[in-house]
């Protein structure tokens, strides 16, 4: 192995923090909210329906910028593991774009639900019948 940190290494968490410390700043510069936990990165934007195209562009530009930054540190933001979801009320769902987003040469289709730290979120944020909600 030419670079990297062995899984389970004591230095792993510290090196991860050093490599990813400035990613939140990149998101801020693009007007994108961010949340990082362990090896999970989440980027999100909020916009009115008529501004959705601009919000999508800001988000994709931010993802590309973060991918470039990570590549400069020999890390990879994996488009295959990337999920994309529009959220809106049930009455507004039909207005949302069903078009894919292109990131890292991959086409990412909008999902109707995503997993966030073990919790399943749906595009209506309804918290319908799910195993983690009683």
């Amino acid at each position: 192995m030419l670079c990297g940190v062995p899984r389970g290494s004591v230095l792993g968490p510290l090196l991860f923090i050093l490599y990813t410390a400035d990613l939140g700043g990149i998101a801020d510069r693009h007007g994108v909210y961010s949340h990082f936990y362990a090896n999970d990165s989440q980027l999100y934007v909020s916009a009115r329906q008529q501004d959705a195209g601009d919000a999508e562009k800001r988000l994709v530009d931010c993802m590309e910028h973060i991918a470039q930054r990570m590549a400069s540190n020999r890390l990879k933001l994996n488009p295959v593991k990337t999920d994309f979801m529009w959220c809106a009320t049930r009455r507004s769902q039909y207005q949302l774009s069903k078009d894919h987003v292109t990131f890292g040469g991959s086409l990412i289709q909008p999902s109707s639900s995503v997993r966030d730290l073990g919790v399943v979120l749906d595009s209506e944020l309804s918290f319908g019948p799910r195993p983690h909600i009683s």
Side-chain angles (χ1 to χ4, degrees), residues 51-107:
D51 300 327
D54 176 58
E56 179 181 322
K57 181 176 177 0
R58 283 187 296 128
L59 184 62
V60 171
D61 288 347
C62 179
M63 290 168 47
E64 295 289 353
H65 191 171
I66 286 176
Q68 291 171 0
R69 173 70 175 96
M70 292 181 76
S72 72
N73 283 320
R74 297 182 179 173
L75 298 171
K76 183 178 180 181
L77 187 59
N78 192 346
V80 174
K81 293 185 176 182
T82 300
D83 287 321
F84 172 69
M85 181 175 72
W86 289 109
C87 296
T89 63
R90 180 172 294 162
R91 290 179 14 183
S92 300
Q93 285 286 320
Y94 75 94
Q95 296 174 330
L96 298 177
S97 171
K98 304 293 185 219
D99 294 338
H100 65 269
V101 173
T102 303
F103 166 62
S106 296
L107 303 179

CSV table of all heavy atoms in Angstrom, one decimal, residues 51-107:
chain,number,residue,atom,x,y,z
A,51,ASP,N,-36.6,28.3,-7.1
A,51,ASP,CA,-35.1,28.5,-7.0
A,51,ASP,C,-34.4,27.1,-7.0
A,51,ASP,O,-33.2,27.1,-6.7
A,51,ASP,CB,-34.8,29.3,-5.8
A,51,ASP,CG,-35.4,30.7,-5.8
A,51,ASP,OD1,-35.5,31.3,-6.9
A,51,ASP,OD2,-35.7,31.2,-4.7
A,52,ALA,N,-35.1,26.1,-7.2
A,52,ALA,CA,-34.6,24.7,-7.1
A,52,ALA,C,-33.4,24.5,-8.0
A,52,ALA,O,-32.4,23.8,-7.7
A,52,ALA,CB,-35.6,23.6,-7.3
A,53,GLY,N,-33.5,25.0,-9.3
A,53,GLY,CA,-32.4,24.8,-10.2
A,53,GLY,C,-31.1,25.4,-9.8
A,53,GLY,O,-30.0,24.8,-9.9
A,54,ASP,N,-31.2,26.7,-9.2
A,54,ASP,CA,-30.0,27.3,-8.7
A,54,ASP,C,-29.5,26.5,-7.5
A,54,ASP,O,-28.2,26.4,-7.3
A,54,ASP,CB,-30.3,28.7,-8.2
A,54,ASP,CG,-29.2,29.4,-7.6
A,54,ASP,OD1,-28.1,29.5,-8.2
A,54,ASP,OD2,-29.3,29.9,-6.4
A,55,ALA,N,-30.3,26.1,-6.6
A,55,ALA,CA,-29.9,25.3,-5.4
A,55,ALA,C,-29.2,24.0,-5.8
A,55,ALA,O,-28.2,23.6,-5.3
A,55,ALA,CB,-31.1,25.0,-4.5
A,56,GLU,N,-29.8,23.3,-6.9
A,56,GLU,CA,-29.1,22.1,-7.4
A,56,GLU,C,-27.7,22.4,-7.9
A,56,GLU,O,-26.8,21.7,-7.6
A,56,GLU,CB,-30.0,21.5,-8.4
A,56,GLU,CG,-29.5,20.2,-9.0
A,56,GLU,CD,-30.4,19.7,-10.1
A,56,GLU,OE1,-31.6,19.7,-10.0
A,56,GLU,OE2,-29.8,19.2,-11.1
A,57,LYS,N,-27.6,23.5,-8.7
A,57,LYS,CA,-26.3,23.9,-9.2
A,57,LYS,C,-25.3,24.1,-8.1
A,57,LYS,O,-24.1,23.7,-8.2
A,57,LYS,CB,-26.4,25.1,-10.1
A,57,LYS,CG,-25.1,25.5,-10.8
A,57,LYS,CD,-25.2,26.6,-11.8
A,57,LYS,CE,-23.9,27.0,-12.4
A,57,LYS,NZ,-22.7,26.4,-12.0
A,58,ARG,N,-25.7,24.9,-7.1
A,58,ARG,CA,-24.8,25.2,-6.0
A,58,ARG,C,-24.4,23.9,-5.3
A,58,ARG,O,-23.2,23.7,-4.9
A,58,ARG,CB,-25.5,26.1,-4.9
A,58,ARG,CG,-25.5,27.5,-5.3
A,58,ARG,CD,-26.1,28.4,-4.2
A,58,ARG,NE,-27.5,28.1,-3.9
A,58,ARG,CZ,-27.9,27.9,-2.7
A,58,ARG,NH1,-27.1,27.9,-1.6
A,58,ARG,NH2,-29.2,27.6,-2.5
A,59,LEU,N,-25.3,23.0,-5.1
A,59,LEU,CA,-25.0,21.7,-4.4
A,59,LEU,C,-24.0,20.9,-5.3
A,59,LEU,O,-23.0,20.4,-4.7
A,59,LEU,CB,-26.3,20.9,-4.2
A,59,LEU,CG,-26.1,19.6,-3.4
A,59,LEU,CD1,-25.6,19.9,-2.0
A,59,LEU,CD2,-27.5,18.9,-3.4
A,60,VAL,N,-24.2,20.8,-6.6
A,60,VAL,CA,-23.3,20.0,-7.4
A,60,VAL,C,-22.0,20.6,-7.5
A,60,VAL,O,-20.9,20.0,-7.4
A,60,VAL,CB,-24.0,19.7,-8.8
A,60,VAL,CG1,-22.9,19.1,-9.8
A,60,VAL,CG2,-25.2,18.9,-8.7
A,61,ASP,N,-21.9,22.0,-7.6
A,61,ASP,CA,-20.6,22.7,-7.7
A,61,ASP,C,-19.9,22.4,-6.4
A,61,ASP,O,-18.6,22.2,-6.4
A,61,ASP,CB,-20.8,24.2,-7.9
A,61,ASP,CG,-21.3,24.5,-9.3
A,61,ASP,OD1,-21.2,23.7,-10.2
A,61,ASP,OD2,-21.7,25.7,-9.5
A,62,CYS,N,-20.6,22.5,-5.3
A,62,CYS,CA,-19.9,22.2,-4.0
A,62,CYS,C,-19.4,20.8,-3.9
A,62,CYS,O,-18.3,20.6,-3.4
A,62,CYS,CB,-20.9,22.4,-2.8
A,62,CYS,SG,-20.3,22.1,-1.2
A,63,MET,N,-20.2,19.8,-4.4
A,63,MET,CA,-19.7,18.4,-4.4
A,63,MET,C,-18.5,18.3,-5.2
A,63,MET,O,-17.5,17.6,-4.8
A,63,MET,CB,-20.8,17.5,-4.9
A,63,MET,CG,-22.0,17.4,-3.9
A,63,MET,SD,-23.5,16.6,-4.5
A,63,MET,CE,-22.9,15.2,-5.3
A,64,GLU,N,-18.4,18.9,-6.4
A,64,GLU,CA,-17.3,18.8,-7.3
A,64,GLU,C,-16.0,19.5,-6.6
A,64,GLU,O,-14.9,18.9,-6.7
A,64,GLU,CB,-17.6,19.5,-8.6
A,64,GLU,CG,-18.6,18.8,-9.4
A,64,GLU,CD,-18.2,17.5,-10.0
A,64,GLU,OE1,-17.0,17.1,-9.9
A,64,GLU,OE2,-19.1,16.8,-10.6
A,65,HIS,N,-16.2,20.6,-5.9
A,65,HIS,CA,-15.1,21.3,-5.3
A,65,HIS,C,-14.6,20.4,-4.1
A,65,HIS,O,-13.4,20.3,-4.0
A,65,HIS,CB,-15.6,22.6,-4.7
A,65,HIS,CG,-14.6,23.5,-4.2
A,65,HIS,ND1,-14.8,24.8,-3.9
A,65,HIS,CD2,-13.2,23.3,-4.0
A,65,HIS,CE1,-13.7,25.4,-3.4
A,65,HIS,NE2,-12.7,24.5,-3.5
A,66,ILE,N,-15.5,19.8,-3.4
A,66,ILE,CA,-15.1,18.9,-2.3
A,66,ILE,C,-14.4,17.7,-2.8
A,66,ILE,O,-13.3,17.3,-2.3
A,66,ILE,CB,-16.3,18.5,-1.4
A,66,ILE,CG1,-16.7,19.7,-0.5
A,66,ILE,CG2,-16.0,17.3,-0.5
A,66,ILE,CD1,-17.9,19.5,0.3
A,67,ALA,N,-14.9,17.1,-3.9
A,67,ALA,CA,-14.2,16.0,-4.6
A,67,ALA,C,-12.8,16.3,-5.0
A,67,ALA,O,-11.9,15.5,-4.8
A,67,ALA,CB,-15.0,15.5,-5.7
A,68,GLN,N,-12.6,17.5,-5.6
A,68,GLN,CA,-11.3,18.0,-6.0
A,68,GLN,C,-10.3,18.1,-4.8
A,68,GLN,O,-9.2,17.7,-4.8
A,68,GLN,CB,-11.3,19.3,-6.7
A,68,GLN,CG,-12.0,19.2,-8.1
A,68,GLN,CD,-12.2,20.6,-8.7
A,68,GLN,OE1,-11.9,21.7,-8.1
A,68,GLN,NE2,-12.8,20.6,-9.8
A,69,ARG,N,-10.9,18.7,-3.7
A,69,ARG,CA,-10.1,18.9,-2.5
A,69,ARG,C,-9.7,17.5,-1.9
A,69,ARG,O,-8.5,17.3,-1.5
A,69,ARG,CB,-10.9,19.7,-1.4
A,69,ARG,CG,-10.2,19.8,-0.1
A,69,ARG,CD,-9.0,20.7,-0.1
A,69,ARG,NE,-8.5,20.9,1.2
A,69,ARG,CZ,-7.5,20.2,1.7
A,69,ARG,NH1,-6.9,19.2,1.0
A,69,ARG,NH2,-7.0,20.4,2.9
A,70,MET,N,-10.6,16.6,-1.9
A,70,MET,CA,-10.3,15.3,-1.3
A,70,MET,C,-9.3,14.6,-2.2
A,70,MET,O,-8.4,13.9,-1.7
A,70,MET,CB,-11.6,14.5,-1.2
A,70,MET,CG,-12.5,15.0,-0.1
A,70,MET,SD,-14.0,14.1,0.1
A,70,MET,CE,-13.4,12.6,1.0
A,71,ALA,N,-9.4,14.7,-3.5
A,71,ALA,CA,-8.5,14.1,-4.5
A,71,ALA,C,-7.1,14.6,-4.3
A,71,ALA,O,-6.1,13.8,-4.4
A,71,ALA,CB,-8.9,14.3,-5.9
A,72,SER,N,-7.0,15.9,-3.9
A,72,SER,CA,-5.6,16.4,-3.7
A,72,SER,C,-5.0,15.8,-2.4
A,72,SER,O,-3.8,15.9,-2.2
A,72,SER,CB,-5.7,18.0,-3.5
A,72,SER,OG,-6.3,18.3,-2.3
A,73,ASN,N,-5.8,15.2,-1.5
A,73,ASN,CA,-5.3,14.5,-0.4
A,73,ASN,C,-5.4,13.0,-0.5
A,73,ASN,O,-5.4,12.3,0.5
A,73,ASN,CB,-6.2,14.9,0.9
A,73,ASN,CG,-5.8,16.3,1.4
A,73,ASN,OD1,-4.6,16.6,1.4
A,73,ASN,ND2,-6.8,17.1,1.8
A,74,ARG,N,-5.5,12.6,-1.8
A,74,ARG,CA,-5.6,11.1,-2.1
A,74,ARG,C,-6.8,10.4,-1.4
A,74,ARG,O,-6.7,9.3,-1.0
A,74,ARG,CB,-4.3,10.4,-1.7
A,74,ARG,CG,-3.1,10.9,-2.4
A,74,ARG,CD,-1.9,10.2,-2.1
A,74,ARG,NE,-0.8,10.7,-2.9
A,74,ARG,CZ,0.5,10.4,-2.7
A,74,ARG,NH1,0.8,9.5,-1.7
A,74,ARG,NH2,1.4,10.9,-3.4
A,75,LEU,N,-7.9,11.2,-1.3
A,75,LEU,CA,-9.1,10.6,-0.8
A,75,LEU,C,-10.1,10.6,-2.0
A,75,LEU,O,-9.9,11.4,-3.0
A,75,LEU,CB,-9.7,11.4,0.4
A,75,LEU,CG,-8.8,11.4,1.6
A,75,LEU,CD1,-9.4,12.5,2.6
A,75,LEU,CD2,-8.7,10.1,2.2
A,76,LYS,N,-11.2,9.9,-1.9
A,76,LYS,CA,-12.2,9.9,-2.9
A,76,LYS,C,-13.6,10.0,-2.4
A,76,LYS,O,-14.0,9.4,-1.4
A,76,LYS,CB,-12.1,8.5,-3.7
A,76,LYS,CG,-13.1,8.5,-4.8
A,76,LYS,CD,-13.0,7.2,-5.6
A,76,LYS,CE,-14.0,7.2,-6.7
A,76,LYS,NZ,-13.9,6.0,-7.5
A,77,LEU,N,-14.3,11.0,-3.0
A,77,LEU,CA,-15.8,11.1,-2.7
A,77,LEU,C,-16.4,10.2,-3.8
A,77,LEU,O,-16.4,10.5,-5.0
A,77,LEU,CB,-16.2,12.6,-2.9
A,77,LEU,CG,-17.6,13.0,-2.5
A,77,LEU,CD1,-17.8,12.6,-1.0
A,77,LEU,CD2,-17.8,14.4,-2.7
A,78,ASN,N,-17.0,9.2,-3.3
A,78,ASN,CA,-17.5,8.1,-4.2
A,78,ASN,C,-18.9,8.4,-4.7
A,78,ASN,O,-19.9,8.4,-4.0
A,78,ASN,CB,-17.5,6.8,-3.5
A,78,ASN,CG,-17.7,5.6,-4.4
A,78,ASN,OD1,-18.1,5.8,-5.5
A,78,ASN,ND2,-17.5,4.4,-3.9
A,79,PRO,N,-19.1,8.7,-6.1
A,79,PRO,CA,-20.4,9.0,-6.6
A,79,PRO,C,-21.3,7.8,-6.5
A,79,PRO,O,-22.6,8.0,-6.4
A,79,PRO,CB,-20.1,9.3,-8.1
A,79,PRO,CG,-18.7,9.6,-8.2
A,79,PRO,CD,-18.0,8.9,-7.1
A,80,VAL,N,-20.8,6.6,-6.5
A,80,VAL,CA,-21.7,5.4,-6.4
A,80,VAL,C,-22.4,5.4,-5.1
A,80,VAL,O,-23.5,4.9,-5.0
A,80,VAL,CB,-20.8,4.2,-6.7
A,80,VAL,CG1,-21.7,2.9,-6.5
A,80,VAL,CG2,-20.3,4.2,-8.1
A,81,LYS,N,-21.8,5.9,-4.0
A,81,LYS,CA,-22.4,5.9,-2.7
A,81,LYS,C,-23.1,7.2,-2.4
A,81,LYS,O,-23.5,7.4,-1.3
A,81,LYS,CB,-21.3,5.6,-1.7
A,81,LYS,CG,-20.7,4.3,-1.7
A,81,LYS,CD,-19.7,4.1,-0.6
A,81,LYS,CE,-19.2,2.6,-0.6
A,81,LYS,NZ,-18.3,2.4,0.5
A,82,THR,N,-23.3,8.0,-3.4
A,82,THR,CA,-24.0,9.3,-3.2
A,82,THR,C,-25.5,9.2,-3.5
A,82,THR,O,-25.9,8.6,-4.5
A,82,THR,CB,-23.4,10.3,-4.2
A,82,THR,OG1,-22.0,10.4,-3.9
A,82,THR,CG2,-24.0,11.7,-4.0
A,83,ASP,N,-26.3,9.7,-2.5
A,83,ASP,CA,-27.7,9.7,-2.6
A,83,ASP,C,-28.2,11.1,-2.8
A,83,ASP,O,-27.5,12.1,-2.3
A,83,ASP,CB,-28.4,9.1,-1.4
A,83,ASP,CG,-28.3,7.6,-1.3
A,83,ASP,OD1,-28.4,7.0,-2.4
A,83,ASP,OD2,-28.1,7.1,-0.2
A,84,PHE,N,-29.3,11.3,-3.5
A,84,PHE,CA,-29.8,12.7,-3.7
A,84,PHE,C,-31.3,12.6,-3.6
A,84,PHE,O,-32.0,11.7,-4.1
A,84,PHE,CB,-29.4,13.1,-5.2
A,84,PHE,CG,-30.1,14.3,-5.7
A,84,PHE,CD1,-29.7,15.5,-5.1
A,84,PHE,CD2,-31.1,14.3,-6.6
A,84,PHE,CE1,-30.3,16.7,-5.6
A,84,PHE,CE2,-31.7,15.4,-7.1
A,84,PHE,CZ,-31.3,16.7,-6.6
A,85,MET,N,-31.9,13.5,-2.8
A,85,MET,CA,-33.3,13.5,-2.5
A,85,MET,C,-33.8,14.9,-2.4
A,85,MET,O,-33.2,15.8,-1.8
A,85,MET,CB,-33.6,12.8,-1.2
A,85,MET,CG,-35.0,12.7,-0.8
A,85,MET,SD,-35.4,11.7,0.7
A,85,MET,CE,-34.8,12.8,1.9
A,86,TRP,N,-35.0,15.1,-3.1
A,86,TRP,CA,-35.7,16.4,-2.9
A,86,TRP,C,-36.7,16.1,-1.8
A,86,TRP,O,-37.4,15.1,-1.8
A,86,TRP,CB,-36.5,16.7,-4.2
A,86,TRP,CG,-35.7,17.1,-5.4
A,86,TRP,CD1,-35.4,16.4,-6.5
A,86,TRP,CD2,-35.0,18.4,-5.6
A,86,TRP,NE1,-34.7,17.2,-7.4
A,86,TRP,CE2,-34.4,18.4,-6.8
A,86,TRP,CE3,-34.9,19.5,-4.8
A,86,TRP,CZ2,-33.7,19.4,-7.3
A,86,TRP,CZ3,-34.1,20.6,-5.2
A,86,TRP,CH2,-33.5,20.5,-6.5
A,87,CYS,N,-37.0,17.1,-1.0
A,87,CYS,CA,-38.0,17.1,0.1
A,87,CYS,C,-39.0,18.1,-0.1
A,87,CYS,O,-38.7,19.3,-0.4
A,87,CYS,CB,-37.4,17.2,1.4
A,87,CYS,SG,-36.2,15.9,1.9
A,88,ALA,N,-40.3,17.8,0.0
A,88,ALA,CA,-41.4,18.7,-0.1
A,88,ALA,C,-42.6,18.1,0.5
A,88,ALA,O,-42.6,16.9,0.8
A,88,ALA,CB,-41.6,19.0,-1.6
A,89,THR,N,-43.6,18.9,0.7
A,89,THR,CA,-44.9,18.4,1.2
A,89,THR,C,-45.5,17.5,0.2
A,89,THR,O,-45.2,17.6,-1.0
A,89,THR,CB,-45.8,19.6,1.6
A,89,THR,OG1,-46.1,20.3,0.3
A,89,THR,CG2,-45.2,20.5,2.6
A,90,ARG,N,-46.4,16.7,0.6
A,90,ARG,CA,-47.1,15.8,-0.3
A,90,ARG,C,-47.8,16.6,-1.4
A,90,ARG,O,-47.8,16.1,-2.5
A,90,ARG,CB,-48.2,15.0,0.5
A,90,ARG,CG,-48.9,14.0,-0.4
A,90,ARG,CD,-49.8,13.1,0.4
A,90,ARG,NE,-48.9,12.3,1.3
A,90,ARG,CZ,-49.3,11.6,2.3
A,90,ARG,NH1,-50.5,11.6,2.7
A,90,ARG,NH2,-48.5,10.9,3.0
A,91,ARG,N,-48.4,17.7,-1.1
A,91,ARG,CA,-49.0,18.5,-2.2
A,91,ARG,C,-48.1,19.1,-3.2
A,91,ARG,O,-48.4,19.4,-4.3
A,91,ARG,CB,-49.9,19.6,-1.5
A,91,ARG,CG,-51.1,19.1,-0.8
A,91,ARG,CD,-51.9,20.1,-0.1
A,91,ARG,NE,-51.7,21.5,-0.5
A,91,ARG,CZ,-52.3,22.5,0.1
A,91,ARG,NH1,-53.2,22.2,1.0
A,91,ARG,NH2,-52.1,23.7,-0.3
A,92,SER,N,-46.8,19.3,-2.8
A,92,SER,CA,-45.8,19.9,-3.7
A,92,SER,C,-44.9,18.9,-4.4
A,92,SER,O,-44.1,19.3,-5.2
A,92,SER,CB,-44.9,20.9,-2.9
A,92,SER,OG,-45.7,21.9,-2.3
A,93,GLN,N,-45.0,17.6,-4.0
A,93,GLN,CA,-44.1,16.6,-4.6
A,93,GLN,C,-44.2,16.6,-6.1
A,93,GLN,O,-43.1,16.4,-6.7
A,93,GLN,CB,-44.5,15.2,-4.0
A,93,GLN,CG,-44.1,14.9,-2.6
A,93,GLN,CD,-42.6,14.7,-2.5
A,93,GLN,OE1,-42.0,14.1,-3.3
A,93,GLN,NE2,-42.0,15.3,-1.5
A,94,TYR,N,-45.3,16.7,-6.7
A,94,TYR,CA,-45.4,16.6,-8.2
A,94,TYR,C,-44.6,17.7,-8.9
A,94,TYR,O,-44.3,17.6,-10.1
A,94,TYR,CB,-46.9,16.7,-8.6
A,94,TYR,CG,-47.5,18.0,-8.5
A,94,TYR,CD1,-47.6,18.8,-9.6
A,94,TYR,CD2,-48.1,18.5,-7.3
A,94,TYR,CE1,-48.1,20.1,-9.6
A,94,TYR,CE2,-48.7,19.7,-7.3
A,94,TYR,CZ,-48.7,20.6,-8.4
A,94,TYR,OH,-49.2,21.8,-8.3
A,95,GLN,N,-44.3,18.8,-8.2
A,95,GLN,CA,-43.6,19.9,-8.8
A,95,GLN,C,-42.1,19.7,-8.8
A,95,GLN,O,-41.4,20.4,-9.5
A,95,GLN,CB,-43.9,21.2,-8.0
A,95,GLN,CG,-45.3,21.7,-8.1
A,95,GLN,CD,-45.6,22.9,-7.2
A,95,GLN,OE1,-44.9,23.1,-6.2
A,95,GLN,NE2,-46.5,23.7,-7.6
A,96,LEU,N,-41.6,18.7,-8.1
A,96,LEU,CA,-40.2,18.5,-8.0
A,96,LEU,C,-39.6,17.8,-9.3
A,96,LEU,O,-40.3,17.0,-9.9
A,96,LEU,CB,-39.9,17.6,-6.8
A,96,LEU,CG,-40.2,18.2,-5.5
A,96,LEU,CD1,-39.9,17.2,-4.4
A,96,LEU,CD2,-39.5,19.5,-5.2
A,97,SER,N,-38.4,18.2,-9.6
A,97,SER,CA,-37.8,17.6,-10.8
A,97,SER,C,-37.5,16.1,-10.6
A,97,SER,O,-37.1,15.7,-9.5
A,97,SER,CB,-36.5,18.3,-11.1
A,97,SER,OG,-35.7,17.7,-12.1
A,98,LYS,N,-37.7,15.3,-11.6
A,98,LYS,CA,-37.4,13.9,-11.5
A,98,LYS,C,-36.1,13.6,-12.3
A,98,LYS,O,-35.7,12.5,-12.5
A,98,LYS,CB,-38.5,13.1,-12.2
A,98,LYS,CG,-39.9,13.3,-11.5
A,98,LYS,CD,-39.9,12.8,-10.1
A,98,LYS,CE,-41.3,12.9,-9.6
A,98,LYS,NZ,-41.4,13.4,-8.2
A,99,ASP,N,-35.4,14.7,-12.8
A,99,ASP,CA,-34.2,14.6,-13.6
A,99,ASP,C,-33.0,14.1,-12.7
A,99,ASP,O,-33.0,14.5,-11.5
A,99,ASP,CB,-33.8,15.9,-14.2
A,99,ASP,CG,-34.9,16.3,-15.3
A,99,ASP,OD1,-35.6,15.4,-15.8
A,99,ASP,OD2,-34.9,17.5,-15.6
A,100,HIS,N,-32.1,13.5,-13.3
A,100,HIS,CA,-30.9,13.0,-12.5
A,100,HIS,C,-30.0,14.2,-12.3
A,100,HIS,O,-30.1,15.3,-12.9
A,100,HIS,CB,-30.2,11.9,-13.3
A,100,HIS,CG,-29.7,12.4,-14.6
A,100,HIS,ND1,-30.4,12.3,-15.8
A,100,HIS,CD2,-28.5,12.9,-15.0
A,100,HIS,CE1,-29.7,12.8,-16.8
A,100,HIS,NE2,-28.5,13.2,-16.3
A,101,VAL,N,-29.0,14.0,-11.4
A,101,VAL,CA,-27.9,15.0,-11.2
A,101,VAL,C,-26.6,14.3,-11.6
A,101,VAL,O,-26.5,13.1,-11.4
A,101,VAL,CB,-27.8,15.3,-9.7
A,101,VAL,CG1,-26.6,16.1,-9.4
A,101,VAL,CG2,-29.1,16.0,-9.2
A,102,THR,N,-25.8,15.0,-12.3
A,102,THR,CA,-24.5,14.4,-12.7
A,102,THR,C,-23.4,14.9,-11.8
A,102,THR,O,-23.2,16.1,-11.5
A,102,THR,CB,-24.2,14.9,-14.2
A,102,THR,OG1,-25.2,14.5,-15.0
A,102,THR,CG2,-22.9,14.3,-14.7
A,103,PHE,N,-22.7,13.9,-11.2
A,103,PHE,CA,-21.6,14.2,-10.3
A,103,PHE,C,-20.5,13.1,-10.5
A,103,PHE,O,-20.8,11.9,-10.5
A,103,PHE,CB,-22.1,14.1,-8.9
A,103,PHE,CG,-21.0,14.1,-7.9
A,103,PHE,CD1,-20.1,15.1,-7.8
A,103,PHE,CD2,-20.8,13.0,-7.0
A,103,PHE,CE1,-19.1,15.0,-6.9
A,103,PHE,CE2,-19.8,12.9,-6.1
A,103,PHE,CZ,-18.9,13.9,-6.0
A,104,GLY,N,-19.3,13.6,-10.7
A,104,GLY,CA,-18.2,12.7,-10.9
A,104,GLY,C,-18.3,11.8,-12.0
A,104,GLY,O,-17.9,10.6,-12.0
A,105,GLY,N,-19.0,12.2,-13.1
A,105,GLY,CA,-19.2,11.3,-14.2
A,105,GLY,C,-20.3,10.3,-14.1
A,105,GLY,O,-20.6,9.5,-15.0
A,106,SER,N,-21.0,10.3,-12.9
A,106,SER,CA,-22.1,9.4,-12.7
A,106,SER,C,-23.4,10.1,-12.7
A,106,SER,O,-23.5,11.3,-12.3
A,106,SER,CB,-21.9,8.7,-11.3
A,106,SER,OG,-20.8,7.9,-11.3
A,107,LEU,N,-24.5,9.4,-13.1
A,107,LEU,CA,-25.8,10.0,-13.1
A,107,LEU,C,-26.5,9.5,-11.8
A,107,LEU,O,-26.5,8.3,-11.5
A,107,LEU,CB,-26.6,9.5,-14.3
A,107,LEU,CG,-26.1,9.8,-15.7
A,107,LEU,CD1,-26.9,9.2,-16.7
A,107,LEU,CD2,-25.9,11.3,-15.8
